[in-house]
């Protein structure tokens, strides 16, 4: 057997049962002494899959397999894990194979195996029948007698939940190896709280004759295969990153289509099967630990013990004991500061919240709202609790909800819609939520959430305007034009914009410019030939925020490129690119259309790689923040561009993504457009030979060769890391610049080495340098100075 691994050395990685079976020599002969195979890993990391794969491999080599799974609820059943594994074999067992001590052994096994109890006599020895030491001896003799010539594999899953007597038996088998071909394979988490288990397996490793391994994380291809075909490539990358490529988390995120709670504190309920699977980890909890973990699910992360105590309504002694349980079971984990805690992963949080009763949640949210009311807080933090408890039933509570909706409009529009509705209910008697600005906010939130028809209804009264409301009227017209276009009514959008422009004579210059920009955007969307507005292209305010200027300049770049004014298009596009790329990652959602028009301008100017980069960035933002009305536009633009450039697989994926996004809106027109594109791209992908490409009119010819192919294999994030490596940045500097962890940068670097087929950072730099000289660094990835 290979040398055992200590806790300090990283276990080797195995990719499947055949790999592990080869390490054990299952096909080349059977081991002569008892052996232990230890499969370790985190929650849902593939331990059970690897153990099951090993059992199939063993059976294919003629081994007999006995298997069982430990569970938190059976920790009080002595020797329960081994009894479950061996029971079926004992039913067909000949007691004479136990030899001269058979009567005594059978007497000690009788309380545990029904097949033995019928014929066993009381033990002859002086010790009590249930003495653990003598029971271990009897079970060891039984294991030795059960082992056939071909070998016996005892597979024990979730060993971290095993009863203490089963662990005692495992220790006994290591201390007194059976003289038969027996292998005990266990799968377990490495947890500091499992002192007895860690001691047993450490002693086993120290004696030799054991093998500790961990399951390999899925490759990028295997991980992508777990995800639905209608998720965009950038969304797939997000799920891969957020799951850490943990197979269980990745499958769950794939089924949900998103990371639960990624942009919001609460999410839709988990499906029953996923909820039941996730709650397995909660079964061993005491009543006090249940209260604390549910209180944690109500609060925002990170949370502190003092707040848990108040929401759970328990005393301090019970709180500390409950936290010991929850941290020991790895449901909660300490944060950067020791007094702050968080859930180990988002599924656990949602499951804990969903397991609580509605009455308890009403009280818990009211308690949390009271805590926040007495301290500094963000409106959206308090809004979550107000909505679920209506703890403040007056205009002040309604105002908090409306302020929170305004702050979260572009990060969680569906949540904003819910908060505004609650505010309107709370403020009926005081007319809170019915003013022009609140109605405008409501209409925008509905449009972003894909509720286009309702948005038109809410915004309609605002288009008539009133004294001092010219800006509100212009915004309402602009958003109604968007809703009309997405519903397939461009003529109605054009009529309302034209009427607003005619009436803008008495409005401020800023209002008139805003309407002219809205007209220009409408002309671009509808591909009108007369993209000029009556007074020419509207000016871009010099004092506007960077993201706003970037959006307006991107529109002008797209208009100039479409009109053949290449010089002006290049100038506007360069400035827009610089502005939009300098905006922090948390800000560009509100000016998302800037990325759309910048992509359109780049594509028309013959830079499809750069255009795809802008479309991908916009799609990532729209999907991350659930901007339902924006997702189909970016996905369809990206699909059409990829179809032109020959990336037929990408085109088909993003067309399916567009159709899925359109189905989340109430626009039959948008859904029909996306469905037609999906059918077209699916047919093209099936009918075109792999590698065949179609060039865009005016597209810059790109040099062929290994550099182009290699860089095209990198994801956008991988290209960003590669470019920074080529600029001499260290991993720590890259992590700070891209706001990633050091470990994540190392992971990206490993993938880059593999895809570029290089062995060093210098080779990465050389490859990127060649690409830059050839003009292949695009896709929105800029070379650093």
């Amino acid at each position: 057997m290979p040398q055992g691994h200590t806790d300090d050395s990283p276990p080797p990685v195995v990719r499947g049962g055949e790999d592990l079976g080869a390490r054990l020599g299952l096909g080349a002969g059977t081991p002569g002494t008892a052996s232990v195979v230890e499969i370790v890993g985190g929650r849902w990391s593939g331990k059970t899959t690897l153990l099951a794969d090993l059992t199939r491999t063993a059976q294919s080599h003629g081994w007999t397999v006995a298997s069982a799974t430990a569970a938190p609820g059976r920790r009080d059943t002595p020797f329960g894990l081994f009894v479950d594994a061996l029971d079926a074999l004992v039913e067909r067992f000949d007691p004479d194979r136990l030899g001269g001590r058979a009567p005594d052994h059978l007497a000690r096994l009788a309380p545990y195996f029904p097949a033995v109890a019928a014929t066993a006599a009381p033990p002859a020895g002086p010790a009590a029948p249930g003495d653990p030491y003598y029971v271990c001896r009897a079970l060891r003799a039984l294991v030795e007698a059960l082992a056939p010539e071909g070998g016996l594999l005892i597979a024990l899953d979730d060993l971290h939940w095993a009863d203490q007597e089963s662990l005692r038996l495992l220790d006994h088998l290591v201390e007194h190896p059976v003289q038969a071909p027996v292998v005990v394979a266990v799968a377990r988490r490495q947890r500091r709280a499992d002192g007895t288990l860690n001691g047993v397996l450490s002693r086993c490793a120290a004696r030799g004759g054991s093998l500790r391994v961990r399951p390999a994380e899925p490759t990028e291809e295997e991980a992508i295969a777990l995800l639905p075909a209608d998720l965009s490539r950038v969304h797939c990358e997000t799920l891969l990153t957020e799951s850490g490529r943990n197979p269980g988390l990745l499958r769950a995120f794939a089924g949900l289509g998103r990371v639960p709670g990624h942009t919001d504190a609460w999410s839709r309920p988990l499906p029953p099967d996923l909820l039941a699977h996730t709650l397995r980890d909660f079964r061993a909890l005491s009543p006090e630990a249940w209260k604390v973990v549910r209180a944690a699910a109500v609060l925002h992360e990170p949370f502190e013990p003092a707040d848990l105590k108040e929401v759970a309504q328990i005393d301090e002694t019970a709180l500390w004991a409950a936290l010991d349980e929850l941290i020991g079971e790895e449901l909660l984990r300490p944060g950067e500061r020791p007094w702050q805690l968080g859930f180990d992963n988002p599924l656990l949080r949602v499951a804990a919240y969903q397991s609580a009763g509605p009455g308890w949640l009403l009280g818990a949210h009211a308690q949390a709202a009271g805590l926040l009311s007495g301290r500094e807080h963000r409106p959206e933090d308090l809004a979550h609790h107000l909505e679920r408890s209506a703890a403040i039933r007056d205009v002040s509570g309604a105002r908090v909800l409306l302020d929170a909706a305004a702050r979260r409009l572009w990060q969680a529009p569906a949540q904003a819609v819910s908060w505004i509705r609650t505010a309107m209910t709370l403020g009926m008697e005081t007319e809170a939520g019915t003013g022009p600005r609140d109605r405008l906010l409501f209409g925008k939130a509905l449009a972003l959430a894909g509720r286009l028809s309702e948005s038109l209804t809410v915004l309609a009264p605002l288009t008539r305007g009133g004294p001092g409301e010219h800006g509100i009227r212009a915004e309402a017209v602009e958003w109604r034009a968007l809703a009309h276009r997405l519903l397939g009514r461009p003529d109605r959008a054009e009529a309302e914009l034209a009427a607003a422009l005619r009436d803008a004579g008495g409005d401020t210059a800023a209002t008139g410019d805003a309407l002219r920009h809205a007209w220009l955007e409408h002309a671009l969307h509808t591909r009108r030939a007369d993209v000029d507005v009556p007074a020419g292209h509207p000016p871009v305010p010099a004092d506007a925020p960077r993201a706003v200027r970037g959006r307006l300049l991107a529109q002008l770049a797209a208009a100039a490129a479409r009109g053949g004014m290449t010089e002006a298009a290049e100038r506007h596009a360069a400035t827009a690119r610089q502005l939009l790329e300098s905006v922090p990652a948390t800000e560009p959602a509100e000016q998302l259309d800037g990325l759309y028009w910048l992509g359109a301008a780049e594509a028309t100017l013959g830079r499809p790689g750069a255009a795809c980069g802008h479309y991908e960035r916009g799609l990532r933002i729209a999907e991350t923040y659930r901007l339902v009305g924006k997702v189909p536009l970016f996905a369809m633009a990206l699909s059409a561009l990829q179809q032109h450039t020959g990336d037929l697989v990408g085109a088909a994926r993003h067309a399916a993504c567009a159709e899925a996004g359109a189905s989340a809106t109430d626009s039959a027109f948008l859904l029909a457009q996306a469905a037609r594109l999906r059918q077209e791209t699916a047919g093209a992908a099936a009918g075109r030979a792999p590698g065949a490409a179609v060039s865009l009119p005016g597209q810059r010819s790109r040099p062929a060769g290994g550099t182009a192919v290699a860089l095209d294999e990198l994801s956008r994030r991988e290209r960003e890391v590669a470019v920074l490596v080529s600029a001499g940045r260290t991993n720590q500097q890259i992590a700070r610049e891209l706001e990633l962890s050091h470990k994540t940068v190392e992971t990206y670097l490993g993938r880059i080495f593999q895809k570029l087929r290089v062995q060093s950072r210098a080779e990465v730099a050389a490859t990127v340098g060649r690409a830059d000289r050839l003009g292949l660094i695009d896709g929105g990835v800029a070379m650093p100075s």
Side-chain angles (χ1 to χ4, degrees), residues 128-332:
D131 185 288
Y133 172 73
Y134 287 97
V135 175
C136 284
R137 291 182 59 185
L139 282 166
R140 176 188 172 279
L142 177 64
V143 169
E144 188 172 283
L146 286 172
E149 292 183 3
L152 172 64
L153 174 68
I154 303 175
L156 306 175
D157 198 8
D158 289 337
L159 190 66
H160 48 278
W161 284 330
D163 59 277
Q164 290 298 306
E165 286 77 9
S166 289
L167 297 183
R168 183 197 296 264
L169 175 58
L170 179 61
D171 197 21
H172 184 83
L173 292 176
V174 171
E175 185 73 29
H176 307 281
V178 299
Q179 300 305 307
V182 175
V183 170
V184 180
V186 302
R188 62 117 175 184
R189 294 184 208 148
Q190 279 185 296
R191 306 187 302 186
R192 294 182 181 275
D194 298 329
T196 302
L197 175 57
N198 291 336
V200 169
L201 294 173
S202 293
R203 288 193 295 275
C204 178
R207 294 188 185 103
S210 71
L211 175 65
R212 178 176 295 161
V213 299
R214 58 190 170 95
E217 69 175 24
T219 64
E220 186 165 348
E221 293 74 19
E222 292 168 341
I224 291 293
L226 296 174
L227 300 175
D230 60 358
L231 293 184
S232 71
R233 187 174 68 187
V234 292
H235 197 176
C236 290
E237 289 180 1
T238 297
L239 296 186
L240 290 180
T241 301
E242 293 297 325
S243 68
R245 292 206 192 181
N246 177 295
L249 274 181
L250 192 57
R251 288 190 182 92
F253 293 168
L256 297 172
R258 64 180 302 190
V259 181
H262 189 46
T263 59
D264 222 340
W266 287 273
S267 299
R268 293 177 181 174
L270 301 180
D273 55 342
L274 180 56
L275 175 65
H277 180 77
T278 307
L279 287 177
R280 288 180 70 243
D281 285 5
F282 294 74
R283 279 192 249 167
L285 298 182
S286 66
E288 290 76 17
W290 267 110
K291 289 181 183 177
V292 172
V293 79
R294 285 169 173 154
V298 166
L299 294 168
H300 294 83
E301 293 187 65
F303 35 79
E304 299 183 6
D307 292 343
L308 292 175
K309 175 178 176 292
E310 292 300 320
V311 176
Q313 294 288 285
I314 62 174
D315 61 43
E316 283 195 4
T317 302
L319 173 68
W320 306 132
L323 288 178
D324 279 341
E325 281 187 63
L326 296 170
I327 295 172
E329 290 292 336
E330 295 183 340
L331 296 171
L332 301 184

Side-chain angles (χ1 to χ4, degrees), residues 745-778:
V745 172
E746 291 178 344
T747 301
Y748 278 126
L749 197 54
R751 295 183 201 166
I752 292 166
F753 280 11
Q754 182 180 9
K755 291 182 177 180
L756 297 185
R757 299 173 181 85
V758 299
Q759 303 295 324
S760 68
R761 300 170 77 93
E763 290 178 88
V764 172
T767 303
V768 173
R770 287 194 301 270
D772 186 44
R773 289 190 295 274
L774 293 171
L776 299 176
I777 296 292
D778 53 24

Side-chain angles (χ1 to χ4, degrees), residues 484-508:
H484 278 310
R485 280 198 304 270
L486 294 181
L487 288 167
R489 308 167 189 165
D491 293 342
R492 296 184 65 176
E494 186 170 319
E496 291 193 18
L497 283 169
L501 272 169
R502 285 195 303 271
D503 297 340
D507 294 351
T508 65

Side-chain angles (χ1 to χ4, degrees), residues 367-382:
Q367 196 74 22
L371 287 173
L372 287 178
S373 297
R375 63 180 69 159
E376 273 192 41
H377 60 270
R378 299 180 305 170
E380 55 266 41
D381 293 343
L382 181 56

